[in-house]
């Protein structure tokens, strides 16, 4: 069978099948089961994929930008910054230069961030994206003109059909999302993966139990965030006050 035929049978993209074949991505459990059923291979693909997830270096089998390009839905939360996919170029540069990166590394990471945004939002059929950001994170940043531009950008994004932006108000107090950023991505054919990031590096979680735990954390975060329209009104007020 051709890649196109397999992709059609599994209801996924041809590029996803190509990444399975070249080892750039490992099939999620549900997809691996579909492949085994398609080819009558018992549990061969399922067991091989499970072994790969346990033994292969994370950066080898699943680069997060690849996940974003394939995802049909993305859910993200950030307590300290505007999520990367929502950042303006000026805001992204300010965030990157606040760390320990050299000037050339900043420009490299900035270019990658902008490319990721195009890959997600510039598709013919973009994913459904839901982002939650802490109100206090929206108050950080200088100069004020840069922050005002970022807030206006969030307002504009929130009017798009498949982008939902929610703000956790200061009145929420302590909540589970303050433990660190979290992103969940739903892939074609079923199955979710999660991405966690800390000072050292990012970690991709693909095991169902771990992903389920992150989904529960997401639900807890979402419960303390404002509804979409109230969040947009807050963003507008914050931008107007700068």
């Amino acid at each position: 069978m051709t890649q196109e035929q397999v992709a059609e049978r599994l209801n996924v993209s041809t590029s996803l099948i190509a990444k399975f074949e070249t080892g750039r991505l490992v099939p999620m459990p549900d997809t691996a089961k579909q492949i085994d059923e398609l080819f009558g291979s018992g549990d061969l693909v399922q067991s091989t994929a499970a072994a790969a997830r346990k033994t292969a270096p994370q950066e080898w089998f699943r680069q997060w930008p690849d996940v974003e390009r394939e995802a049909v839905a993305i859910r993200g939360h950030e307590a300290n910054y505007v999520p990367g996919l929502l950042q303006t170029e000026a805001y992204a540069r300010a965030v990157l230069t606040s760390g320990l990166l050299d000037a050339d590394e900043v420009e490299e990471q900035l270019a990658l961030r902008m490319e990721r945004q195009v890959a997600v939002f510039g598709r013919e059929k973009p994913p459904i994206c839901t982002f939650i950001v802490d109100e206090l994170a929206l108050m950080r940043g200088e100069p004020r003109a840069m922050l005002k531009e970022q807030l206006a950008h969030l307002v504009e994004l929130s009017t798009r059909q498949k982008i939902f932006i929610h703000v956790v108000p200061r009145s929420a107090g302590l909540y589970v999302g303050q433990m660190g950023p979290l992103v969940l991505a739903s892939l074609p054919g079923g199955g979710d993966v999660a991405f966690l990031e800390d000072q050292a590096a990012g970690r991709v979680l693909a095991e169902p139990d771990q992903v389920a735990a992150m989904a529960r954390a997401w639900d807890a975060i979402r419960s303390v965030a404002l509804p979409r329209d109230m969040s947009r009104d807050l963003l507008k007020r914050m931008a107007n006050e700068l």
Side-chain angles (χ1 to χ4, degrees), residues 1-48:
M1 298 178 70
T2 65
Q3 290 179 348
E4 290 77 12
Q5 290 171 328
V6 175
E8 183 178 359
R9 294 285 292 276
L10 299 182
N11 194 30
V12 300
S13 68
T14 304
S15 63
L16 187 65
I17 300 301
K19 288 169 185 173
F20 291 160
E21 291 185 340
T22 58
R24 291 183 63 192
L25 293 178
V26 173
M28 291 296 296
D30 290 347
T31 306
K33 182 179 180 181
Q34 287 181 302
I35 295 173
D36 274 329
E37 291 173 349
L38 176 61
F39 292 107
S41 49
D43 65 352
L44 176 61
V45 177
Q46 296 170 77
S47 60
T48 304

Side-chain angles (χ1 to χ4, degrees), residues 92-108:
R93 179 177 278 106
V95 170
L96 292 168
T97 54
S98 68
L100 302 176
L101 298 177
D102 295 332
D104 57 340
E105 293 176 317
V106 167
E107 294 305 314
E108 180 181 345

Side-chain angles (χ1 to χ4, degrees), residues 53-167:
R53 281 193 294 273
K54 291 179 181 178
T55 61
Q58 295 284 353
E59 64 272 17
W60 174 80
F61 77 82
R62 191 176 292 280
Q63 295 288 339
W64 190 252
D66 286 335
V67 174
E68 290 177 332
R69 292 186 188 96
E70 294 292 337
V72 295
I74 295 174
R75 292 171 284 169
H77 167 260
E78 177 59 71
N80 297 310
Y81 304 100
V82 172
L85 288 175
L86 306 181
Q87 293 176 4
T88 63
E89 184 172 341
Y91 183 95
R93 179 177 278 106
V95 170
L96 292 168
T97 54
S98 68
L100 302 176
L101 298 177
D102 295 332
D104 57 340
E105 293 176 317
V106 167
E107 294 305 314
E108 180 181 345
Q109 291 299 314
L110 180 62
L112 175 60
R113 193 159 299 183
M114 297 299 105
E115 289 173 4
R116 286 171 52 208
Q117 293 181 10
V118 172
V120 171
F121 301 129
R123 295 189 224 161
E124 182 179 351
K125 295 182 178 180
I128 296 173
C129 295
T130 307
F131 299 96
I132 303 174
V133 60
D134 196 291
E135 180 182 357
L136 293 176
L138 299 172
M139 302 171 65
R140 302 188 183 101
E142 292 291 343
R144 292 165 66 89
M146 178 272 291
L147 186 55
K148 185 180 182 71
E149 177 192 38
Q150 177 63 71
L151 290 169
H153 183 59
L154 293 176
V155 171
E156 187 279 321
L157 288 173
S158 72
T159 64
R160 299 188 188 183
Q161 185 178 11
K162 291 188 177 182
I163 300 179
F164 303 89
I165 298 176
H166 301 271
V167 179

Side-chain angles (χ1 to χ4, degrees), residues 165-214:
I165 298 176
H166 301 271
V167 179
V168 176
R170 283 174 286 180
S171 59
L174 297 174
Y175 64 100
V176 67
Q178 291 167 320
M179 298 178 66
L182 163 67
V183 185
L184 289 159
S186 300
L187 299 176
D192 290 352
V193 291
F195 182 75
L196 304 178
E197 191 172 7
D198 56 28
Q199 289 283 351
R203 292 187 296 133
V204 178
L205 306 179
E207 290 301 314
D209 289 347
Q210 294 177 321
V211 175
M214 294 303 99

